[in-house]
Amino acid sequence: SFEEYKNSYKQSVNDPEGFWSDIASTFQWKKKWDHVLQGDFKQPQVKWFVNGKLNITENCLDRHLEKRSKQTAIIWEPNHPRDQPIHLTYAELHEKVCKYANVLKENGAKKGDRICIYMPMIPEITIAVLACARIGAIHSVVFAGFSAQAIADRINDASCSMVITTDGMYRGPKKLPVKDTIDSALETCHSVKKVLVVQRTAHPIKMEEGRDVWVHEEIEKVTSDCPAEEMDAEDMLFILYTSGSTGKPKGVVHTCGGYMVYAEYSFRNVFQYEDRDVYWCSADVGWITGHTYLIYGPLLSGATTLMFEGVPTYPDAGRFWKVVDKHQVNIFYTAPTAIRSLMASDLSFVRNYKLNSLKVLGTVGEPINEEAWYWYFEHIGKKKCPIVDTWWQTETGGAMISPLANITENKPTFATYPLPGIQPVLLDKNGDEIKENEKEGYLCIKFPWPSMIRTTYGDHERCRKTYFSSYKGYYFTGDGAKRDRDGMYRIIGRIDDVINVSGHRFGTAEIENAIDEHPEIIESAVVGYPHEIKGQGIYAYVICGDHVPEDRGRIREEIIAMVDEQIGKIARPEKIQFVENLPKTRSGKIMRRILRKVAEGNTSNLGDTTTLLEPKVVEDIIQGAVKLESAV
Ligand code: WTA
């Protein structure tokens, strides 16, 4: 009940160590910890379950075997509805993970090595992730939509010694190459010694002698006996790259003990998973949501987790709902962008299905607008299912602010209250805590939690600067939020130079760097603008010289090709405006605030423009934007 939540919350603040120690005690440890929590945000250096020893896969798999060996762990729904789904029991998954782990070892992988996983949504991606964790290798999953260049950057940053991939992939009506992309990425990666290839599309690919091996052949050579490596609670479990407001994406590091405890705790509480429920998280394993709430959280809880290879609109816009009925899904977790895109199709796609197995719905990744919230609530949940709007980040490891299904209240567009153990605050411009309600501020976290980011791989100073230096003693989220009368939080969105496109994070600098590689482009500035389906779209202003060039069509296409090549199609700018100049302050800083307003089409109130070097530049840009609008 709500009372219990409040008591639990109070206890977690008054005695955090006692609170987390009780929860951590429910797991299987090879050796118990000496201290629950050490350190603070200053260095930052925070350690949880100090000197505790464990292996997360024993907690995901082995410890369930006694009671759940025959229970389905993973249901896999393939891209094409005509193909057969796969059900893997806990016993089968355990066996497969052990075999894969032995294949990794046979091919030279060992504890502490970094292994890049670049695969579509097939059961083998989950098996690969767990196999790494089994032997203590650090997985770095790269979303299968990233380009060769983006993969190479990530492999090189972490000096990965191995890549696990597939020959190809299916996505809706398309068959796409995967291994070819890895081949071009590896032209500039010298740390990679082995590439393990899982067969999916069985189309011809190049296999490099001595480097590339087929997993289905390697599996034949190993046993299923693979004892789990003993890991320290603070040993790295994985790296996951994410974009920030400056420079290249950074490798967010999560560790074994704290991440395990919080992944399970938050999964169980947010979704109120009950034995035998079928749970479906539609996120890709390439993002943090896939890590925490498709793989680790559910498996740690002994749940049945569904993974879907395809897309929501293939073969038609009813696919999600078809899958819900087919597998009798009880809990469904997706992104607002998916809801908005399905909302745009005819309601008959929903009405064809019963959807009566659903008990709980969830969203993640971006603010959900009121219209999408109500559509989801009425048409999918039939007004019976609570919606857990979970706010969190790659860096937080798990959901931080969210309703707990059927326990705490829902309020459309509000992430509502923090989970027990999480202490959010709103800060004002001066870094002072705003104590009153009905106020807006910078969202920060005041006290460590078990699954918090430990470092950014290979560059601890970057971690300190990005998250722990803006406001001394706080973790800074980069989001703005407001608190209502009852103390419920509503997330407003990023207040830094991060754009959230369909729930995918991109730094404006990252996209600008890609565009600036074009030989005819002198400078560019990228901002986000409101997009009906994607939440935010990417708007690029580019300068080619003293005047706007004639052959804009060609340059536009070339810009898109550069972005495809350096980041991936998911980062393509939607709108490109050629300008002669960018609005800058006297000290040469681009005034993004103004560019954002123009991109939004909101030019009536541009705010203070007195610090602009050349006010006329803004006039020209507004004129150009008007023309651009009418040209679309
Ligand atoms: C945004 C995804 C509003 C936010 C788990 C955050 C949200 C960024 C919500 C992290 C939500 C995530 N409501 N905004 N429920 N969930 N965000 O690292 O801006 O891919 O900072 O993690 O997504 O994105 P990331």
Side-chain angles (χ1 to χ4, degrees):
S1 67
F2 190 50
E3 278 312 304
E4 282 171 283
Y5 158 76
K6 282 199 287 195
N7 288 335
S8 185
Y9 191 82
K10 250 189 234 138
Q11 191 214 337
S12 79
V13 173
N14 295 338
D15 177 20
E17 298 199 28
F19 178 81
W20 288 114
S21 168
D22 286 350
I23 295 161
S25 302
T26 63
F27 292 84
Q28 190 172 310
W29 296 81
K30 288 175 185 282
K31 177 185 163 287
K32 204 184 161 182
W33 55 90
D34 299 330
H35 309 279
V36 177
L37 169 64
Q38 252 178 15
D40 55 42
F41 287 171
K42 282 200 202 90
Q43 300 290 341
Q45 204 200 54
V46 174
K47 293 181 174 178
W48 283 91
F49 312 112
V50 183
N51 296 329
K53 308 285 177 195
L54 76 151
N55 186 291
I56 195 168
T57 69
E58 280 187 342
N59 286 277
C60 287
L61 302 170
D62 305 58
R63 71 168 171 153
H64 299 314
L65 291 183
E66 201 182 314
K67 265 182 38 202
R68 304 186 190 277
S69 64
K70 296 202 178 95
Q71 181 198 311
T72 302
I74 295 179
I75 301 174
W76 177 70
E77 170 69 19
N79 179 58
H80 202 291
R82 136 201 96 203
D83 294 338
Q84 280 305 308
I86 291 174
H87 290 247
L88 288 178
T89 64
Y90 270 91
E92 288 164 339
L93 182 60
H94 177 263
E95 187 186 336
K96 284 191 188 289
V97 168
C98 288
K99 282 195 166 177
Y100 260 68
N102 281 332
V103 168
L104 299 184
K105 285 200 280 194
E106 287 301 312
N107 282 279
K110 52 184 194 316
K111 181 173 176 174
D113 287 357
R114 276 79 55 213
I115 297 183
C116 174
I117 299 176
Y118 184 77
M119 289 169 79
M121 288 284 283
I122 55 177
E124 287 81 354
I125 188 170
T126 299
I127 295 166
V129 161
L130 294 170
C132 289
R134 187 87 178 166
I135 66 166
I138 300 159
H139 54 80
S140 168
V141 182
V142 176
F143 173 63
F146 279 113
S147 70
Q149 183 61 51
I151 303 164
D153 290 345
R154 287 157 177 76
I155 288 178
N156 286 331
D157 186 73
S159 312
C160 294
S161 56
M162 189 182 270
V163 175
I164 312 177
T165 190
T166 61
D167 45 1
M169 68 189 274
Y170 296 110
R171 203 179 145 73
K174 291 183 241 159
K175 181 163 150 182
L176 300 164
V178 177
K179 174 65 162 53
D180 292 354
T181 312
I182 287 294
D183 287 341
S184 32
L186 293 189
E187 282 168 19
T188 55
C189 301
H190 305 294
S191 54
V192 174
K193 303 284 175 288
K194 273 281 159 78
V195 178
L196 309 192
V197 188
V198 175
Q199 197 169 51
R200 174 64 186 123
T201 49
H203 71 281
I205 54 163
K206 223 175 61 221
M207 294 291 279
E208 194 178 295
E209 187 73 37
R211 187 193 71 182
D212 305 348
V213 295
W214 284 107
V215 174
H216 62 266
E217 289 172 7
E218 296 298 297
I219 283 283
E220 299 301 323
K221 305 177 192 161
V222 298
T223 71
S224 58
D225 178 28
C226 181
E229 188 73 33
E230 179 170 297
M231 304 298 286
D232 188 89
E234 283 297 323
D235 280 341
M236 287 187 201
L237 173 64
F238 66 85
I239 305 170
L240 186 57
Y241 285 84
T242 190
S243 299
S245 44
T246 53
K248 289 204 178 231
K250 45 190 174 292
V252 171
V253 169
H254 285 288
T255 55
C256 297
Y259 177 80
M260 169 179 79
V261 170
Y262 198 75
E264 190 263 3
Y265 173 78
S266 56
F267 172 77
R268 198 161 32 84
N269 280 284
V270 167
F271 298 105
Q272 292 292 309
Y273 182 89
E274 292 176 302
D275 242 0
R276 282 193 277 280
D277 281 347
V278 173
Y279 163 87
W280 178 16
C281 165
S282 77
D284 194 285
V285 172
W287 310 111
I288 189 69
T289 307
H291 282 57
T292 308
Y293 297 121
L294 188 151
I295 301 181
Y296 286 114
L299 295 178
L300 286 163
S301 311
T304 299
T305 177
L306 188 149
M307 59 190 296
F308 173 43
E309 184 184 32
V311 295
T313 48
Y314 178 76
D316 62 45
R319 185 66 189 279
F320 267 5
W321 322 128
K322 190 184 180 77
V323 175
V324 166
D325 274 8
K326 178 172 175 187
H327 297 289
Q328 291 291 291
V329 171
N330 305 110
I331 306 172
F332 179 58
Y333 189 34
T334 194
T337 186
I339 299 168
R340 286 191 300 262
S341 79
L342 296 176
M343 235 168 93
S345 345
D346 199 84
L347 258 185
S348 61
F349 287 111
V350 178
R351 294 207 181 106
N352 282 339
Y353 302 98
K354 291 206 181 73
L355 303 178
N356 55 358
S357 56
L358 288 172
K359 300 196 299 192
V360 174
L361 300 174
T363 67
V364 60
E366 42 169 330
I368 180 162
N369 48 311
E370 214 157 315
E371 201 190 346
W373 196 98
Y374 279 106
W375 186 86
Y376 198 31
F377 184 70
E378 284 169 23
H379 298 291
I380 307 306
K382 315 290 182 202
K383 301 189 186 164
K384 288 186 324 236
C385 305
I387 297 179
V388 293
D389 175 356
T390 62
W391 172 82
W392 57 297
Q393 311 178 295
T394 305
E395 295 86 343
T396 69
M400 304 283 279
I401 305 182
S402 168
L404 309 181
N406 294 313
I407 292 194
T408 65
E409 224 181 304
N410 276 187
K411 178 168 176 177
T413 77
F414 280 70
T416 74
Y417 296 114
L419 266 72
I422 306 304
Q423 301 184 32
V425 292
L426 297 180
L427 300 186
D428 65 17
K429 278 207 292 285
N430 308 317
D432 293 323
E433 272 184 41
I434 301 170
K435 302 278 187 196
E436 310 88 27
N437 285 342
E438 299 199 74
K439 284 273 156 64
E440 211 173 290
Y442 305 140
L443 182 63
C444 291
I445 314 288
K446 194 175 168 163
F447 193 83
W449 67 102
S451 63
M452 60 178 276
I453 178 174
R454 295 301 193 274
T455 190
T456 46
Y457 191 82
D459 190 352
H460 194 60
E461 178 56 15
R462 189 164 176 206
C463 172
R464 191 189 65 77
K465 265 212 200 114
T466 313
Y467 305 105
F468 299 94
S469 73
S470 307
Y471 304 103
K472 291 269 167 311
Y474 298 92
Y475 164 82
F476 176 50
T477 65
D479 281 319
K482 78 178 191 198
R483 222 168 20 221
D484 76 356
R485 214 178 334 148
D486 306 313
M488 283 188 175
Y489 287 87
R490 176 187 187 158
I491 311 301
I492 297 164
R494 302 293 302 198
I495 51 177
D496 52 8
D497 290 319
V498 168
I499 309 181
N500 190 331
V501 186
S502 299
H504 304 157
R505 276 166 70 170
F506 298 102
T508 54
E510 202 183 340
I511 303 170
E512 287 162 8
N513 289 343
I515 295 176
D516 293 348
E517 291 279 308
H518 191 290
E520 286 162 73
I521 289 170
I522 294 173
E523 198 179 9
S524 64
V526 164
V527 297
Y529 71 97
H531 186 287
E532 229 181 286
I533 307 272
K534 300 179 175 182
Q536 279 189 297
I538 299 171
Y539 195 119
Y541 296 90
V542 299
I543 303 179
C544 290
D546 295 343
H547 46 266
V548 168
E550 289 299 325
D551 48 354
R552 293 189 292 277
R554 168 185 62 88
I555 301 178
R556 181 177 282 122
E557 271 170 33
E558 288 168 359
I559 289 174
I560 289 176
M562 311 226 56
V563 172
D564 284 2
E565 184 186 311
Q566 291 186 57
I567 309 173
K569 291 194 173 79
I570 48 177
R572 276 185 182 181
E574 216 104 12
K575 294 190 182 181
I576 298 172
Q577 182 180 347
F578 292 87
V579 296
E580 288 169 14
N581 255 312
L582 289 168
K584 289 190 180 169
T585 62
R586 276 165 235 275
S587 58
K589 258 188 80 170
I590 296 176
M591 292 185 76
R592 287 172 189 281
R593 180 174 51 81
I594 292 179
L595 294 177
R596 273 194 292 265
K597 290 224 158 145
V598 175
E600 275 166 26
N602 174 8
T603 51
S604 57
N605 175 19
L606 291 177
D608 184 10
T609 52
T610 54
T611 54
L612 273 177
L613 188 60
E614 285 178 87
K616 182 179 171 294
V617 170
V618 178
E619 253 334 289
D620 293 346
I621 287 181
I622 294 174
Q623 294 305 326
V626 170
K627 278 195 219 124
L628 181 74
E629 270 315 320
S630 50
V632 171

